Amino acid sequence: MEISTEQFDLIKKQFTTLKSRSSFYAEKFKDVDLGRIETQSDFEQLPFSEKDDLRNAYPLGLLAVPEDEIVRIHS
């Protein structure tokens, strides 16, 4: 599936925001220069979160917003 230019730009912006707001993702992407992600192939090489990541970070280890903005936690 081909990502459109608009989708790709939004994804890159979201990853940059996520990396700056979440200690979990800052660590996950510490060796990734998101500014160098230029193609869909580059994007497909990014590390993905796995079930163990989610288990180990539960419940608040994945925060990307202040804790007082959390309304509900799903498990």
Side-chain angles (χ1 to χ4, degrees), residues 46-72:
L46 291 172
F48 285 92
S49 299
E50 300 173 359
K51 284 184 180 182
D52 276 347
D53 293 332
L54 301 176
R55 285 185 197 111
N56 294 335
Y58 183 82
L60 301 176
L62 298 172
L63 286 181
V65 297
E67 192 172 334
D68 63 338
E69 291 183 27
I70 306 279
V71 176
R72 183 175 294 128

Side-chain angles (χ1 to χ4, degrees), residues 14-62:
Q14 185 65 34
F15 270 101
T16 301
T17 301
L18 189 59
K19 186 175 178 180
S20 70
R21 290 186 179 183
S22 168
S23 59
F24 171 82
Y25 285 104
E27 178 66 24
K28 188 110 178 137
F29 298 133
K30 70 180 177 187
D31 297 327
V32 176
D33 179 359
L34 295 172
R36 296 187 60 137
I37 307 298
E38 299 291 334
T39 66
Q40 184 166 340
S41 178
D42 295 338
F43 172 74
E44 291 170 358
Q45 300 305 311
L46 291 172
F48 285 92
S49 299
E50 300 173 359
K51 284 184 180 182
D52 276 347
D53 293 332
L54 301 176
R55 285 185 197 111
N56 294 335
Y58 183 82
L60 301 176
L62 298 172

